[in-house]
């Protein structure tokens, strides 16, 4: 997970487990065994609110460990405290619902498994403590697969870990994967991030060819947005989800922005992946991957991504423990 340019939304709650209860996003179980999940509930425009129905799939449910099946709930860990990041996980306009792309996908997966979704919220570090201790069955929290993490956890991938370039909608520039296209541009990036590391490496490569581009830093996301609107920078390079969120925010403004191209957060030789995270050997990773693949094959997955403006991070299948960021880069 990279440091994002985000508009922070205060996340209420504690690290303790909390039931969906009567929150706006609580899935509704129907008499025919389907679950209706309201994706993007109370998201204040961060998503297009969409109701997605998923059936309980008996063959996948039968793969669950007995203790999870008997408990009747999938406890989903989110690492969004103290401040959530739209569009991934944040408190909605009702001041109680944990909304966002990550908890929504967890609710959809729970529906396929025929389980009640119970969302727990924690700090990033305590997300993993919760998985280690068994307080959470699985983390849906923008966790990047790394080789080091695979020592302790099993992963079922569900989204590309992408970086993106944001430009004004009026700009004709696009990033085609070749750093040479940045020559002569002024680019903003957040200091101390993975994307800064990649960007500075590209600048070194260009300088060896007698070319260069300018890198500018700003104190926060609002300053970056103003710099882009005023023409002080040509583009901002940051995490794709936060850029997707900002693009949605600017859509009805005088100077809307757009995505000018993506790049793997793992670099040129590996597509980084975001994955559901479970304790190694818990027996949950296969039913989770199978549930995700059911959603991918039957269209609910694409509707979920589209609702959150994240279709450019779609994968064709969920992989169990796919190649992760190498130990030297994770």
């Amino acid at each position: 997970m990279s440091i994002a340019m985000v508009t922070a939304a205060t996340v209420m709650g504690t690290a303790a487990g909390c039931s969906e209860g009567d929150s706006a996003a609580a899935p509704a179980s129907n008499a025919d065994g389907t679950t209706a999940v309201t994706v993007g509930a109370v998201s204040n425009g961060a998503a297009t609110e969409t109701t997605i129905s998923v059936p309980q799939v008996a063959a996948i449910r039968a793969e669950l460990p007995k203790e999870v099946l008997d408990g009747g709930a999938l406890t989903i860990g989110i690492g969004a405290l103290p401040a959530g990041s739209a569009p991934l996980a944040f408190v909605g306009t009702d001041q109680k619902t944990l909304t966002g792309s990550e908890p929504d996908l967890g609710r959809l997966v729970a529906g396929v498994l025929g389980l009640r979704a119970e969302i727990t919220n924690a700090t990033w570090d305590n997300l993993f403590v919760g998985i280690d201790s068994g307080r959470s069955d699985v983390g849906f929290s923008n966790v990047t697969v790394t080789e080091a993490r695979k020592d302790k956890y099993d992963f079922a991938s569900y989204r590309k870990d992408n970086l993106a370039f944001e430009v004004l909608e009026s700009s004709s520039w696009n990033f085609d994967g070749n750093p040479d296209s940045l020559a002569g541009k002024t680019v903003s990036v957040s200091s101390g991030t993975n994307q800064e590391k990649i960007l500075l490496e590209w600048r070194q490569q260009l300088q060896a060819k007698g070319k260069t581009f300018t890198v500018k830093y700003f104190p926060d996301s609002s300053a970056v947005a103003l710099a882009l609107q005023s023409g002080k920078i040509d583009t901002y390079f940051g995490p794709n989800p936060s850029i997707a969120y900002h693009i949605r925010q600017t859509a009805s403004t005088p100077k809307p922005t757009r995505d000018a191209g993506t790049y793997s957060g793992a670099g040129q030789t590996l597509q980084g992946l975001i994955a559901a995270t479970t304790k190694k050997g818990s027996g949950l990773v296969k039913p989770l991957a199978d549930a995700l693949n059911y959603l991918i094959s039957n269209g609910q997955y694409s509707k979920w991504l589209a609702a959150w403006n994240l279709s450019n991070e779609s994968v064709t299948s969920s992989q169990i423990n796919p190649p992760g960021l190498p130990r030297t880069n994770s």
Side-chain angles (χ1 to χ4, degrees), residues 29-35 54-56:
S29 297
N30 301 317
D32 61 358
T34 62
T35 300
V54 292
Q56 174 182 309

Side-chain angles (χ1 to χ4, degrees), residues 125 127-132 143 146 148-155 276-281 285 321:
D125 288 342
L127 165 69
F128 294 96
V129 172
I131 296 169
D132 294 345
V143 180
T146 74
R149 286 175 181 162
K150 283 161 69 175
D151 290 343
K152 290 183 66 177
Y153 305 101
D154 285 325
F155 294 97
T277 307
T278 68
K279 189 174 182 179
K280 197 165 191 69
V285 71
N321 294 327

Side-chain angles (χ1 to χ4, degrees), residues 100-296:
S101 61
E102 305 298 86
D104 276 350
L105 182 59
R107 294 173 179 118
L108 290 167
V109 167
V112 175
L113 297 173
L115 297 173
R116 183 177 68 259
E118 291 188 353
I119 309 295
T120 66
N121 194 18
T123 62
W124 176 251
D125 288 342
N126 280 330
L127 165 69
F128 294 96
V129 172
I131 296 169
D132 294 345
S133 67
R135 186 172 66 239
S136 298
D137 295 319
V138 57
F140 279 93
S141 199
N142 201 45
V143 180
T144 301
V145 181
T146 74
E147 291 303 310
R149 286 175 181 162
K150 283 161 69 175
D151 290 343
K152 290 183 66 177
Y153 305 101
D154 285 325
F155 294 97
S157 61
Y158 60 83
R159 219 180 69 234
K160 292 178 182 175
D161 180 13
N162 278 346
L163 302 169
F165 288 92
E166 183 179 11
V167 299
L168 291 175
E169 196 174 83
S170 57
S171 171
S172 61
W173 181 81
N174 289 292
F175 181 72
D176 59 2
N178 183 353
D180 286 4
S181 65
L182 290 165
K185 300 297 181 184
T186 300
V187 186
S188 178
V189 71
S190 295
S191 179
T193 59
N194 179 48
Q195 55 267 25
E196 181 197 32
K197 177 177 177 288
I198 292 171
L199 192 67
L200 295 181
E201 287 174 353
W202 284 342
R203 188 170 65 174
Q204 284 186 332
Q205 293 172 21
L206 261 67
Q207 288 172 340
K209 300 177 183 179
K211 306 175 185 179
T212 194
F213 56 84
T214 302
V215 178
K216 283 193 174 181
Y217 298 93
F218 296 91
D220 53 42
S221 59
S222 296
V224 172
L226 286 172
L228 188 59
Q229 291 167 5
S230 65
K232 291 181 180 178
I233 60 173
D234 297 300
T235 183
Y236 167 73
F237 186 42
N240 184 73
S242 61
I243 285 177
Y245 173 60
H246 190 248
I247 288 169
R248 191 182 289 275
Q249 284 187 308
T250 67
S252 58
T253 68
K255 290 190 175 180
T257 63
R258 65 175 180 85
D259 188 317
T262 60
Y263 190 78
S264 169
Q268 184 177 4
T269 59
L270 178 69
Q271 175 59 62
L273 292 170
I274 302 297
T277 307
T278 68
K279 189 174 182 179
K280 197 165 191 69
S282 69
L284 271 171
V285 71
K286 187 177 188 303
L288 287 168
D290 287 348
L292 287 162
N293 280 320
Y294 179 90
L295 294 170
I296 291 169

